[in-house]
Amino acid sequence: MDPPVVEVRGLRKSFGAREVLRGIDLTVGAGDVVCVIGPSGSGKSTLLRCVNLLEQPTAGSIRLLGVDVTDPEVDIDRVRTHVGMVFQSFNLFPHKTVMGNLTLAQRSVLRRSEAAARDVALHNLRKVGLEDRADAYPAQLSGGQQQRVAIARALSMDPALMLFDEPTSALDPELVGDVLAVMRDLAQSGMTMIVVTHEMAFARDVGDRVVFMDEGLIMEEGPARQLIGSPATERARVFLHRVLHPTDVADSELGQTEPTRPGDPDHTAAGGAGWAGPPPRWPRADGRGDDAEGHVPLTVR
Ligand SMILES: Nc1ncnc2c1ncn2[C@@H]1O[C@H](COP(=O)(O)OP(=O)(O)O)[C@@H](O)[C@H]1O
Ligand SMILES: [Mg+2]
Protein backbone atom coordinates (compact mmCIF):
# COMPACT_ATOMS: atom_id res chain seq x y z
CA MET A 1 0.00 0.00 0.00
CA ASP A 2 1.23 3.49 -0.77
CA PRO A 3 2.32 5.52 2.25
CA PRO A 4 0.14 8.50 3.22
CA VAL A 5 1.05 11.75 1.49
CA VAL A 6 1.60 13.40 4.87
CA GLU A 7 2.20 11.71 8.19
CA VAL A 8 2.86 14.01 11.15
CA ARG A 9 3.71 12.42 14.49
CA GLY A 10 4.24 14.16 17.82
CA LEU A 11 5.10 17.44 16.10
CA ARG A 12 6.27 20.18 18.44
CA LYS A 13 7.54 23.61 17.59
CA SER A 14 8.82 26.30 19.92
CA PHE A 15 9.85 29.85 19.23
CA GLY A 16 12.18 30.65 22.10
CA ALA A 17 10.40 29.66 25.29
CA ARG A 18 6.99 29.67 23.62
CA GLU A 19 5.72 26.28 22.42
CA VAL A 20 3.22 26.96 19.63
CA LEU A 21 2.76 23.34 18.47
CA ARG A 22 2.43 20.97 21.41
CA GLY A 23 2.19 17.50 19.91
CA ILE A 24 0.37 17.25 16.59
CA ASP A 25 -0.57 13.98 14.93
CA LEU A 26 -2.07 14.20 11.46
CA THR A 27 -2.32 11.80 8.55
CA VAL A 28 -3.39 12.88 5.09
CA GLY A 29 -3.92 10.18 2.49
CA ALA A 30 -3.77 10.56 -1.27
CA GLY A 31 -6.70 12.61 -2.52
CA ASP A 32 -7.75 13.72 0.97
CA VAL A 33 -8.86 17.30 1.50
CA VAL A 34 -8.27 18.32 5.10
CA CYS A 35 -9.45 21.73 6.25
CA VAL A 36 -7.81 23.24 9.32
CA ILE A 37 -9.80 25.72 11.36
CA GLY A 38 -9.17 27.42 14.67
CA PRO A 39 -8.61 30.79 16.32
CA SER A 40 -5.82 33.15 15.38
CA GLY A 41 -2.55 32.17 17.02
CA SER A 42 -3.51 28.51 17.46
CA GLY A 43 -0.59 27.33 15.30
CA LYS A 44 -2.28 26.64 11.94
CA SER A 45 0.28 28.50 9.83
CA THR A 46 3.16 27.05 11.82
CA LEU A 47 1.83 23.56 11.15
CA LEU A 48 1.72 24.20 7.39
CA ARG A 49 5.15 25.82 7.49
CA CYS A 50 6.58 22.76 9.25
CA VAL A 51 5.03 20.43 6.66
CA ASN A 52 6.61 22.55 3.95
CA LEU A 53 9.92 22.68 5.84
CA LEU A 54 9.82 26.44 6.07
CA GLU A 55 10.14 25.87 9.82
CA GLN A 56 12.32 23.29 11.50
CA PRO A 57 10.29 21.20 13.99
CA THR A 58 11.52 21.15 17.58
CA ALA A 59 10.43 17.54 18.03
CA GLY A 60 8.45 14.82 16.28
CA SER A 61 8.52 13.57 12.73
CA ILE A 62 7.01 14.53 9.40
CA ARG A 63 6.85 12.04 6.56
CA LEU A 64 6.04 13.19 3.07
CA LEU A 65 5.29 10.32 0.69
CA GLY A 66 6.98 8.01 3.18
CA VAL A 67 10.20 10.04 3.46
CA ASP A 68 11.09 11.39 6.90
CA VAL A 69 11.83 14.99 6.02
CA THR A 70 13.09 15.78 9.52
CA ASP A 71 16.06 13.50 8.80
CA PRO A 72 19.08 15.81 8.38
CA GLU A 73 20.27 13.70 5.44
CA VAL A 74 17.19 14.53 3.36
CA ASP A 75 17.50 16.93 0.44
CA ILE A 76 15.00 19.54 1.59
CA ASP A 77 14.84 21.41 -1.71
CA ARG A 78 13.97 18.23 -3.53
CA VAL A 79 11.21 17.36 -1.08
CA ARG A 80 9.84 20.87 -1.27
CA THR A 81 9.28 20.62 -5.02
CA HIS A 82 6.55 18.07 -4.26
CA VAL A 83 4.65 20.53 -2.09
CA GLY A 84 2.78 23.52 -3.49
CA MET A 85 1.99 26.36 -1.13
CA VAL A 86 -0.49 29.18 -1.55
CA PHE A 87 -0.41 32.01 0.98
CA GLN A 88 -2.80 34.74 1.96
CA SER A 89 -0.63 37.21 0.06
CA PHE A 90 -0.10 36.13 -3.50
CA ASN A 91 3.69 36.56 -3.66
CA LEU A 92 3.84 36.98 -7.43
CA PHE A 93 6.87 38.68 -8.96
CA PRO A 94 5.51 42.12 -9.90
CA HIS A 95 8.01 42.70 -12.71
CA LYS A 96 7.22 39.42 -14.44
CA THR A 97 4.19 38.56 -16.53
CA VAL A 98 1.80 35.83 -15.50
CA MET A 99 3.60 33.48 -17.90
CA GLY A 100 6.97 34.56 -16.49
CA ASN A 101 5.75 33.84 -12.97
CA LEU A 102 4.52 30.40 -13.97
CA THR A 103 7.61 29.30 -15.91
CA LEU A 104 10.36 30.61 -13.62
CA ALA A 105 10.59 27.78 -11.08
CA GLN A 106 9.73 25.16 -13.67
CA ARG A 107 12.82 26.25 -15.60
CA SER A 108 15.22 26.76 -12.67
CA VAL A 109 14.13 23.97 -10.32
CA LEU A 110 12.65 21.32 -12.61
CA ARG A 111 14.95 22.24 -15.53
CA ARG A 112 12.12 22.19 -18.03
CA SER A 113 12.65 23.70 -21.46
CA GLU A 114 10.97 27.04 -22.13
CA ALA A 115 8.49 25.36 -24.48
CA ALA A 116 7.62 22.59 -22.02
CA ALA A 117 7.26 25.07 -19.18
CA ARG A 118 4.95 27.26 -21.25
CA ASP A 119 2.79 24.26 -22.17
CA VAL A 120 2.41 23.30 -18.51
CA ALA A 121 1.74 26.92 -17.56
CA LEU A 122 -1.01 27.31 -20.17
CA HIS A 123 -2.60 24.06 -19.10
CA ASN A 124 -2.78 25.31 -15.51
CA LEU A 125 -3.91 28.80 -16.47
CA ARG A 126 -6.79 27.14 -18.27
CA LYS A 127 -7.65 25.26 -15.08
CA VAL A 128 -7.96 28.53 -13.16
CA GLY A 129 -9.79 30.29 -15.99
CA LEU A 130 -7.01 32.75 -16.87
CA GLU A 131 -5.49 31.40 -20.09
CA ASP A 132 -6.18 34.74 -21.76
CA ARG A 133 -4.12 36.68 -19.18
CA ALA A 134 -0.72 35.04 -19.73
CA ASP A 135 0.87 38.31 -20.85
CA ALA A 136 -0.58 40.48 -18.09
CA TYR A 137 1.44 41.79 -15.15
CA PRO A 138 0.19 41.05 -11.63
CA ALA A 139 -0.73 44.70 -11.03
CA GLN A 140 -3.15 44.51 -13.97
CA LEU A 141 -5.10 41.71 -12.28
CA SER A 142 -7.60 41.71 -9.43
CA GLY A 143 -6.61 40.13 -6.16
CA GLY A 144 -8.73 37.09 -6.95
CA GLN A 145 -7.07 36.69 -10.34
CA GLN A 146 -3.64 37.05 -8.76
CA GLN A 147 -4.46 34.34 -6.27
CA ARG A 148 -5.63 32.07 -9.09
CA VAL A 149 -2.31 32.74 -10.85
CA ALA A 150 -0.52 31.80 -7.63
CA ILE A 151 -2.48 28.53 -7.57
CA ALA A 152 -1.64 27.85 -11.23
CA ARG A 153 2.01 28.58 -10.48
CA ALA A 154 2.05 26.06 -7.64
CA LEU A 155 0.29 23.46 -9.81
CA SER A 156 2.86 23.93 -12.56
CA MET A 157 5.43 22.22 -10.31
CA ASP A 158 3.31 19.02 -10.38
CA PRO A 159 2.96 18.89 -6.59
CA ALA A 160 1.84 15.77 -4.75
CA LEU A 161 0.36 17.99 -2.06
CA MET A 162 -1.08 21.50 -2.00
CA LEU A 163 -1.06 23.61 1.15
CA PHE A 164 -3.31 26.66 1.38
CA ASP A 165 -2.93 29.18 4.20
CA GLU A 166 -6.06 31.35 4.32
CA PRO A 167 -5.94 31.86 0.54
CA THR A 168 -9.03 34.07 0.45
CA SER A 169 -8.54 36.12 3.62
CA ALA A 170 -6.95 39.10 1.85
CA LEU A 171 -9.57 39.27 -0.91
CA ASP A 172 -12.50 41.58 -1.34
CA PRO A 173 -15.63 39.54 -0.60
CA GLU A 174 -16.87 39.51 -4.19
CA LEU A 175 -13.59 37.93 -5.37
CA VAL A 176 -13.55 35.07 -2.89
CA GLY A 177 -15.98 32.84 -4.78
CA ASP A 178 -13.84 32.43 -7.91
CA VAL A 179 -10.82 31.35 -5.87
CA LEU A 180 -12.89 28.90 -3.83
CA ALA A 181 -14.37 27.51 -7.05
CA VAL A 182 -10.89 26.82 -8.39
CA MET A 183 -9.95 25.10 -5.14
CA ARG A 184 -13.14 23.08 -5.26
CA ASP A 185 -12.33 21.89 -8.80
CA LEU A 186 -8.85 21.00 -7.67
CA ALA A 187 -10.21 18.96 -4.78
CA GLN A 188 -12.61 17.18 -7.10
CA SER A 189 -9.77 16.39 -9.50
CA GLY A 190 -8.22 14.32 -6.70
CA MET A 191 -5.50 16.69 -5.45
CA THR A 192 -4.33 16.09 -1.90
CA MET A 193 -4.87 19.32 0.01
CA ILE A 194 -4.48 20.85 3.45
CA VAL A 195 -6.46 24.07 3.62
CA VAL A 196 -6.36 26.54 6.49
CA THR A 197 -9.52 28.56 6.08
CA HIS A 198 -12.23 30.57 7.79
CA GLU A 199 -14.64 29.74 4.95
CA MET A 200 -16.82 27.31 6.86
CA ALA A 201 -19.11 26.49 3.94
CA PHE A 202 -16.06 25.51 1.90
CA ALA A 203 -14.68 23.40 4.76
CA ARG A 204 -18.03 21.70 5.20
CA ASP A 205 -18.74 21.03 1.53
CA VAL A 206 -15.27 20.43 0.07
CA GLY A 207 -13.31 19.08 3.02
CA ASP A 208 -13.29 15.36 3.66
CA ARG A 209 -12.14 16.03 7.18
CA VAL A 210 -11.88 19.09 9.36
CA VAL A 211 -9.27 19.61 12.03
CA PHE A 212 -9.97 22.12 14.79
CA MET A 213 -6.81 23.54 16.38
CA ASP A 214 -6.52 25.54 19.55
CA GLU A 215 -3.44 26.50 21.55
CA GLY A 216 -1.06 24.34 19.55
CA LEU A 217 -3.13 21.17 19.72
CA ILE A 218 -5.65 19.40 17.55
CA MET A 219 -8.66 19.63 19.83
CA GLU A 220 -11.04 17.86 17.49
CA GLU A 221 -10.89 16.09 14.13
CA GLY A 222 -13.71 14.53 12.20
CA PRO A 223 -15.74 14.28 9.01
CA ALA A 224 -16.26 17.81 7.70
CA ARG A 225 -20.05 17.90 7.90
CA GLN A 226 -20.10 16.42 11.35
CA LEU A 227 -17.47 18.72 12.86
CA ILE A 228 -18.87 21.90 11.33
CA GLY A 229 -22.49 20.91 11.90
CA SER A 230 -22.25 19.55 15.41
CA PRO A 231 -18.83 19.92 16.98
CA ALA A 232 -18.17 17.67 19.94
CA THR A 233 -16.04 20.03 21.99
CA GLU A 234 -17.17 23.21 23.68
CA ARG A 235 -14.18 25.13 22.30
CA ALA A 236 -14.99 24.20 18.72
CA ARG A 237 -18.64 25.15 19.31
CA VAL A 238 -17.70 28.56 20.66
CA PHE A 239 -15.18 29.14 17.86
CA LEU A 240 -17.63 28.16 15.12
CA HIS A 241 -20.31 30.34 16.64
CA ARG A 242 -18.00 33.35 16.62
CA VAL A 243 -16.99 32.77 13.01
CA LEU A 244 -20.54 32.17 11.81
CA HIS A 245 -22.11 34.97 13.82
CA PRO A 246 -19.38 37.62 14.00
CA THR A 247 -21.78 40.43 14.81
CA ASP A 248 -23.34 38.69 17.78
CA VAL A 249 -22.77 40.38 21.10
CA ALA A 250 -22.14 38.11 24.05
CA ASP A 251 -24.93 38.03 26.62
CA SER A 252 -22.42 38.90 29.33
CA GLU A 253 -21.55 42.10 27.49
CA LEU A 254 -25.22 43.01 27.46
CA GLY A 255 -25.39 42.49 31.22
CA GLN A 256 -27.92 39.65 30.90
CA THR A 257 -27.87 36.79 33.32
CA GLU A 258 -30.34 34.54 31.49
CA PRO A 259 -29.43 33.58 27.94
CA THR A 260 -32.18 34.19 25.45
CA ARG A 261 -33.34 31.34 23.25
CA PRO A 262 -33.30 31.44 19.47
CA GLY A 263 -37.09 31.74 19.38
CA ASP A 264 -37.15 34.78 21.65
CA PRO A 265 -37.83 38.12 19.98
CA ASP A 266 -34.74 39.71 21.50
CA HIS A 267 -32.46 36.75 20.87
CA THR A 268 -29.08 38.05 19.80
CA ALA A 269 -26.48 35.58 20.88
CA ALA A 270 -26.06 32.16 22.32
CA GLY A 271 -22.46 31.37 22.90
CA GLY A 272 -20.53 34.41 21.79
CA ALA A 273 -17.37 35.57 23.50
CA GLY A 274 -17.66 35.25 27.22
CA TRP A 275 -20.41 32.65 27.05
CA ALA A 276 -20.66 30.96 30.42
CA GLY A 277 -23.94 29.06 30.13
CA PRO A 278 -24.73 25.66 28.68
CA PRO A 279 -23.36 24.82 25.21
CA PRO A 280 -24.97 27.01 22.57
CA ARG A 281 -27.63 25.43 20.38
CA TRP A 282 -27.51 26.33 16.75
CA PRO A 283 -30.37 28.39 15.45
CA ARG A 284 -32.00 26.73 12.47
CA ALA A 285 -31.48 28.32 9.10
CA ASP A 286 -35.24 28.76 8.75
CA GLY A 287 -35.43 30.43 12.16
CA ARG A 288 -37.74 27.77 13.58
CA GLY A 289 -35.83 27.32 16.79
CA ASP A 290 -33.57 24.55 17.98
CA ASP A 291 -32.58 21.68 15.79
CA ALA A 292 -31.18 18.56 17.36
CA GLU A 293 -29.12 17.88 14.26
CA GLY A 294 -27.17 21.08 14.85
CA HIS A 295 -28.04 22.73 11.58
CA VAL A 296 -25.63 25.59 10.93
CA PRO A 297 -26.73 28.48 8.79
CA LEU A 298 -23.92 29.17 6.34
CA THR A 299 -23.46 31.52 3.52
CA VAL A 300 -22.69 29.39 0.51
CA ARG A 301 -20.96 31.28 -2.20
N1 LIG B 1 8.66 33.12 13.56
C1 LIG B 1 8.02 33.25 14.72
N2 LIG B 1 8.66 33.70 15.83
C2 LIG B 1 8.04 33.81 17.02
N3 LIG B 1 6.74 33.48 17.21
C3 LIG B 1 6.04 33.03 16.16
C4 LIG B 1 6.64 32.89 14.86
N4 LIG B 1 5.69 32.42 14.01
C5 LIG B 1 4.57 32.29 14.74
N5 LIG B 1 4.78 32.65 16.03
C6 LIG B 1 3.78 32.60 17.11
O1 LIG B 1 3.25 31.30 17.14
C7 LIG B 1 1.85 31.34 17.46
C8 LIG B 1 1.09 30.60 16.39
O2 LIG B 1 1.17 31.35 15.18
P1 LIG B 1 0.51 30.87 13.82
O3 LIG B 1 1.00 29.51 13.50
O4 LIG B 1 0.79 31.93 12.83
O5 LIG B 1 -1.02 30.81 14.21
P2 LIG B 1 -2.31 30.86 13.28
O6 LIG B 1 -1.87 30.63 11.87
O7 LIG B 1 -3.20 29.78 13.81
O8 LIG B 1 -2.92 32.22 13.49
C9 LIG B 1 1.48 32.80 17.57
O9 LIG B 1 1.47 33.15 18.92
C10 LIG B 1 2.60 33.50 16.86
O10 LIG B 1 2.80 34.78 17.39
MG1 LIG C 1 -2.07 31.79 10.19
Side-chain angles (χ1 to χ4, degrees):
M1 214 180 78
D2 288 341
V5 177
V6 184
E7 203 172 8
V8 175
R9 287 289 166 268
L11 174 64
R12 292 175 175 269
K13 175 67 185 175
S14 298
F15 293 106
R18 183 162 156 57
E19 192 170 46
V20 302
L21 295 179
R22 301 190 295 140
I24 300 280
D25 295 304
L26 181 67
T27 303
V28 183
D32 285 358
V33 177
V34 175
C35 291
V36 181
I37 63 172
S40 176
S42 56
K44 306 179 299 294
S45 294
T46 305
L47 172 61
L48 287 196
R49 291 171 59 79
C50 284
V51 169
N52 201 17
L53 303 172
L54 292 170
E55 299 285 0
Q56 182 70 35
T58 310
S61 70
I62 300 172
R63 287 178 173 274
L64 290 178
L65 301 166
V67 176
D68 183 353
V69 298
T70 44
D71 179 342
E73 302 285 296
V74 160
D75 180 350
I76 284 184
D77 290 332
R78 202 180 151 69
V79 171
R80 225 182 250 136
T81 64
H82 297 296
V83 183
M85 179 115 184
V86 175
F87 301 88
Q88 186 175 327
S89 54
F90 326 123
N91 297 326
L92 299 175
F93 291 111
H95 59 287
K96 287 195 176 294
T97 63
V98 166
M99 182 54 79
N101 271 280
L102 264 65
T103 52
L104 186 68
Q106 292 191 65
R107 303 269 284 125
S108 62
V109 178
L110 301 182
R111 308 252 168 241
R112 285 183 180 146
S113 70
E114 179 68 26
R118 289 183 73 91
D119 276 356
V120 172
L122 274 177
H123 172 76
N124 287 307
L125 282 176
R126 217 168 286 131
K127 272 194 197 169
V128 303
L130 290 171
E131 67 271 31
D132 56 340
R133 303 312 305 272
D135 297 325
Y137 285 88
Q140 297 169 315
L141 303 176
S142 73
Q145 289 172 328
Q146 290 185 54
Q147 192 60 303
R148 282 147 62 198
V149 170
I151 293 171
R153 178 177 59 177
L155 292 176
S156 295
M157 301 298 282
D158 297 333
L161 168 70
M162 286 284 285
L163 307 176
F164 294 86
D165 194 355
E166 299 192 30
T168 58
S169 296
L171 298 176
D172 289 336
E174 75 272 21
L175 304 178
V176 168
D178 287 344
V179 173
L180 292 181
V182 164
M183 292 170 62
R184 183 186 300 247
D185 288 349
L186 198 54
Q188 278 164 2
S189 77
M191 178 61 74
T192 309
M193 297 163 53
I194 305 179
V195 184
V196 174
T197 187
H198 293 297
E199 295 289 340
M200 294 305 149
F202 179 88
R204 180 194 62 184
D205 297 342
V206 181
D208 297 307
R209 276 182 294 143
V210 168
V211 164
F212 170 68
M213 283 182 69
D214 198 9
E215 296 181 356
L217 291 170
I218 293 180
M219 303 292 291
E220 191 172 340
E221 175 175 357
R225 277 187 176 274
Q226 187 181 315
L227 197 151
I228 303 274
S230 46
T233 61
E234 172 71 6
R235 285 204 204 190
R237 265 196 288 269
V238 169
F239 169 76
L240 281 163
H241 187 88
R242 279 188 204 154
V243 172
L244 296 170
H245 306 278
T247 54
D248 272 7
V249 180
D251 296 326
S252 56
E253 291 167 33
L254 296 174
Q256 295 175 344
T257 49
E258 288 289 307
T260 54
R261 291 178 54 81
D264 291 350
D266 63 346
H267 168 74
T268 51
W275 170 258
R281 306 285 298 271
W282 299 113
R284 285 173 58 121
D286 59 8
R288 281 175 49 221
D290 284 357
D291 177 351
E293 284 158 33
H295 191 111
V296 185
L298 295 167
T299 325
V300 180
R301 292 189 165 94

Short mmCIF file of all heavy atoms in Angstrom, two decimals, residues 39-46 49 88 165-166 196 198, ligand 2:
data_model
loop_
_atom_site.label_atom_id
_atom_site.label_comp_id
_atom_site.label_asym_id
_atom_site.label_seq_id
_atom_site.Cartn_x
_atom_site.Cartn_y
_atom_site.Cartn_z
N PRO A 39 -8.83 29.36 16.08
CA PRO A 39 -8.61 30.79 16.32
C PRO A 39 -7.22 31.24 15.90
O PRO A 39 -6.30 30.43 15.76
CB PRO A 39 -8.80 30.93 17.83
CG PRO A 39 -8.85 29.57 18.40
CD PRO A 39 -9.11 28.61 17.31
N SER A 40 -7.09 32.53 15.70
CA SER A 40 -5.82 33.15 15.38
C SER A 40 -4.80 32.83 16.47
O SER A 40 -5.12 32.86 17.65
CB SER A 40 -6.04 34.66 15.27
OG SER A 40 -4.82 35.30 15.05
N GLY A 41 -3.60 32.47 16.06
CA GLY A 41 -2.55 32.17 17.02
C GLY A 41 -2.53 30.74 17.50
O GLY A 41 -1.71 30.37 18.35
N SER A 42 -3.44 29.88 16.96
CA SER A 42 -3.51 28.51 17.46
C SER A 42 -2.43 27.61 16.86
O SER A 42 -2.28 26.47 17.27
CB SER A 42 -4.91 27.93 17.21
OG SER A 42 -5.26 27.99 15.84
N GLY A 43 -1.69 28.12 15.86
CA GLY A 43 -0.59 27.33 15.30
C GLY A 43 -0.84 26.77 13.92
O GLY A 43 -0.05 25.95 13.42
N LYS A 44 -1.92 27.20 13.25
CA LYS A 44 -2.28 26.64 11.94
C LYS A 44 -1.19 26.91 10.90
O LYS A 44 -0.77 26.00 10.19
CB LYS A 44 -3.62 27.23 11.46
CG LYS A 44 -4.76 27.08 12.46
CD LYS A 44 -6.06 27.70 11.97
CE LYS A 44 -6.02 29.18 11.70
NZ LYS A 44 -5.82 30.03 12.90
N SER A 45 -0.75 28.17 10.82
CA SER A 45 0.28 28.50 9.83
C SER A 45 1.60 27.78 10.15
O SER A 45 2.29 27.30 9.25
CB SER A 45 0.53 30.01 9.79
OG SER A 45 -0.62 30.67 9.31
N THR A 46 1.92 27.72 11.43
CA THR A 46 3.16 27.05 11.82
C THR A 46 3.12 25.57 11.42
O THR A 46 4.13 25.02 10.96
CB THR A 46 3.40 27.21 13.34
OG1 THR A 46 3.38 28.61 13.65
CG2 THR A 46 4.73 26.62 13.76
N ARG A 49 3.75 25.45 7.77
CA ARG A 49 5.15 25.82 7.49
C ARG A 49 6.10 24.70 7.88
O ARG A 49 7.16 24.55 7.27
CB ARG A 49 5.49 27.14 8.18
CG ARG A 49 4.76 28.35 7.55
CD ARG A 49 4.91 29.61 8.37
NE ARG A 49 6.30 29.99 8.53
CZ ARG A 49 7.02 30.63 7.60
NH1 ARG A 49 6.45 30.96 6.46
NH2 ARG A 49 8.28 30.92 7.80
N GLN A 88 -1.81 33.67 1.96
CA GLN A 88 -2.80 34.74 1.96
C GLN A 88 -2.41 35.85 0.99
O GLN A 88 -3.22 36.34 0.22
CB GLN A 88 -2.90 35.27 3.39
CG GLN A 88 -3.98 36.28 3.59
CD GLN A 88 -4.08 36.67 5.06
OE1 GLN A 88 -3.85 35.85 5.95
NE2 GLN A 88 -4.42 37.90 5.32
N ASP A 165 -2.84 28.50 2.91
CA ASP A 165 -2.93 29.18 4.20
C ASP A 165 -3.82 30.41 4.06
O ASP A 165 -3.39 31.46 3.61
CB ASP A 165 -1.54 29.57 4.71
CG ASP A 165 -1.57 29.98 6.18
OD1 ASP A 165 -2.68 30.05 6.76
OD2 ASP A 165 -0.49 30.23 6.75
N GLU A 166 -5.06 30.28 4.42
CA GLU A 166 -6.06 31.35 4.32
C GLU A 166 -5.98 32.06 2.97
O GLU A 166 -5.79 33.27 2.90
CB GLU A 166 -5.87 32.35 5.46
CG GLU A 166 -6.07 31.70 6.82
CD GLU A 166 -6.18 32.73 7.94
OE1 GLU A 166 -6.66 33.84 7.66
OE2 GLU A 166 -5.81 32.41 9.07
N VAL A 196 -6.00 25.73 5.33
CA VAL A 196 -6.36 26.54 6.49
C VAL A 196 -7.33 27.60 6.01
O VAL A 196 -7.02 28.36 5.08
CB VAL A 196 -5.11 27.22 7.12
CG1 VAL A 196 -5.52 28.17 8.23
CG2 VAL A 196 -4.13 26.17 7.63
N HIS A 198 -11.10 30.15 6.97
CA HIS A 198 -12.23 30.57 7.79
C HIS A 198 -13.53 30.45 7.00
O HIS A 198 -14.58 30.88 7.48
CB HIS A 198 -12.03 32.00 8.28
CG HIS A 198 -10.89 32.14 9.24
ND1 HIS A 198 -10.86 31.50 10.45
CD2 HIS A 198 -9.70 32.78 9.14
CE1 HIS A 198 -9.73 31.77 11.07
NE2 HIS A 198 -9.00 32.54 10.29
MG MG B 2 -2.07 31.79 10.19
#
